[in-house]
Amino acid sequence: MSNLIQLVRRSLDRSSPIHSSRWPTLLRPSSSSAFAGRRFVPSQLDGVEDAEDYQLGGLHPITIGDTFSEGRYRVVHKLGFGSSSTVWLARDQQHSPWPGRLVTLKAMRADSSSVAPEEVPEIAVPKLLQLDSIPASDFQTVDDNFLVQGPNGLHRFLVFPLAGPSILAMSDSPGRVSGSRRLRGDLARSVAKQTATMLCRMHRAGLVHGDLTTSNILFRVFEDILEWSDDQVYSHLGSPEMEEVRTCNGQPRGPHAPTELVAPISASRLTDASLLQEKVVVIDFGQSYAIARRPKNYQPATVINYCAPEMRFEGRTGFETDVWALGCAIFEIRAGFPLFDPLLRSDADVLRQTVETLGKLPEPWWKSFAEQALWFDEDGEPKSEKDQKLAGALLCSSKSSIREKLRSIGTQDDSSYLNEGPMIEKSGVRLCEEEIELLGQLLEKMLRYRPEERIRMPEVVEHPWFTF
């Protein structure tokens, strides 16, 4: 990984609470010109949604203490937000014993709430999995759903069992080299096997996940945490941090936005190993579908560094794209850093890293990679650093491989963090050559460019790396 990317990484806090936005805000407005066209003053809180999304068809205004479904669910804290929803820690006050059970409450945008419940993938897919006798403990189920009429329209609310932080959040190491914090080796293999087994069961049931990333693999929390009182929640997870929503012109904000924005629970509090089981659950079926009935006008959507080449260049999806995504996830689970780094948010830069790691793309994809001449010759080999800079490359490419990246794990750990708890690998621990050989072999089979040449999930779950 280049020195420039490492320098940028050290300067960023990649805070990633559960269900939070995938990427942090890099720049905050610093002048009045940044307010042009805005209704609301940008928030200074970290990890919050844009107040501009509170408008007709947009998000539903929510604050701590609000109740829904005739008083059944009461909002206790914030978990995060996504492109189409905000996500809250709530209490099911009808669940015994008193004071009720903690749950996850997801409030969808109004313009994402118009379809019938049976057509909402997050509701429909878990039901199909349960019909196929797949254990509900392996995936996120919807326990309840209902509609709420608000100032911005009609919103669907989904209620899930409360889960813990994502794999991505567990590896978060702000101010340090990416990968300095990663799961203990045997736990990483266990988590990878649990995830692969779940995906294999989905495929056997004829279902494509469509958005499998380390953001969508969550650790389970211990059962007693679900019974915490509000005081216990705030004692362990911190009190909600709020900021008043203010208009740019000083006028009343109106009914569409909440009175306050709420910051999500800090990732450092959520990743406390004393709260977590060493079991994971796969979530987010928003991009999932039955392979025999691909939805009309289906639009693939996942983070750029998990896109298989056929998805990127042709919009094709299927079991094979899930296998590619799982290969990327397995590497990240074991390494604590992504196989292809998306930090610059550049599709071309992710492709650069893909080619330097896996080799030249097959045609016609190679010709479709418009920027390839910046870094590579016609054979897909990196040009000299001098030639790359003459071509206009800001970051230079160098030859790499999956196994070389596996060998780099642990080489840049910060020795001042010797023990970060029982779930995290101790600083400086590296993979032995036997594990590098096994895992390298598995990932090379999963990340073949041609989808028809990739290993299938039944073969993946039987691979000896998982029991190394």
Side-chain angles (χ1 to χ4, degrees), residues 420-438:
E420 297 190 79
M423 298 178 77
I424 303 300
E425 190 88 277
K426 287 182 170 55
S427 178
V429 174
R430 300 177 64 180
L431 276 63
C432 68
E433 280 300 315
E434 185 178 356
E435 182 174 8
I436 290 169
E437 175 65 27
L438 284 171

Side-chain angles (χ1 to χ4, degrees), residues 230-251:
D230 289 6
D231 287 344
Q232 287 175 301
V233 168
Y234 299 140
S235 173
H236 287 86
L237 303 180
S239 297
E241 183 183 0
M242 293 174 277
E243 178 186 82
E244 181 186 1
V245 174
R246 296 176 294 123
T247 59
C248 293
N249 60 11
Q251 297 298 311

Side-chain angles (χ1 to χ4, degrees), residues 32-207:
S32 58
S33 63
F35 293 175
R38 293 187 61 93
R39 293 174 298 152
F40 303 108
V41 176
S43 175
Q44 296 302 302
L45 296 175
D46 289 328
V48 297
E49 65 277 14
D50 189 344
E52 300 299 317
D53 289 331
Y54 289 98
Q55 57 182 314
L56 287 175
L59 298 172
H60 182 67
I62 297 175
T63 194
I64 304 300
D66 285 354
T67 60
F68 299 98
S69 191
E70 299 180 339
R72 177 172 181 175
Y73 302 103
R74 177 171 55 82
V75 174
V76 177
H77 213 315
K78 177 87 164 285
L79 292 175
F81 75 100
S83 60
S84 62
S85 65
T86 54
V87 186
W88 302 84
L89 176 63
R91 188 177 302 283
D92 180 355
Q93 299 184 124
Q94 289 186 13
H95 193 284
S96 59
W98 186 90
R101 192 176 184 86
L102 294 174
V103 296
T104 297
L105 184 68
K106 184 174 185 176
M108 304 294 295
R109 290 175 56 99
D111 56 17
S112 298
S113 301
S114 59
V115 298
E118 59 271 17
E119 296 177 12
V120 177
E122 287 174 295
I123 298 175
V125 170
K127 288 183 177 180
L128 290 172
L129 292 172
Q130 288 173 314
L131 287 174
D132 210 61
S133 301
I134 297 175
S137 59
D138 291 350
F139 58 90
Q140 187 180 55
T141 56
V142 176
D143 291 342
D144 193 9
N145 79 94
F146 51 90
L147 292 171
V148 172
Q149 181 67 54
N152 297 328
L154 191 63
H155 304 261
R156 185 165 299 282
F157 279 53
L158 305 176
V159 180
F160 306 99
L162 180 66
S166 67
I167 301 297
L168 179 63
M170 288 293 288
S171 301
D172 190 33
S173 53
R176 295 154 61 186
V177 172
S178 179
S180 294
R181 179 183 165 94
R182 59 190 176 278
L183 297 179
R184 196 181 70 237
D186 64 302
L187 177 56
R189 291 187 289 273
S190 172
V191 165
K193 179 63 179 284
Q194 291 174 58
T195 305
T197 300
M198 173 57 198
L199 188 61
C200 185
R201 288 168 171 166
M202 283 192 73
H203 286 189
R204 284 174 177 160
L207 297 168

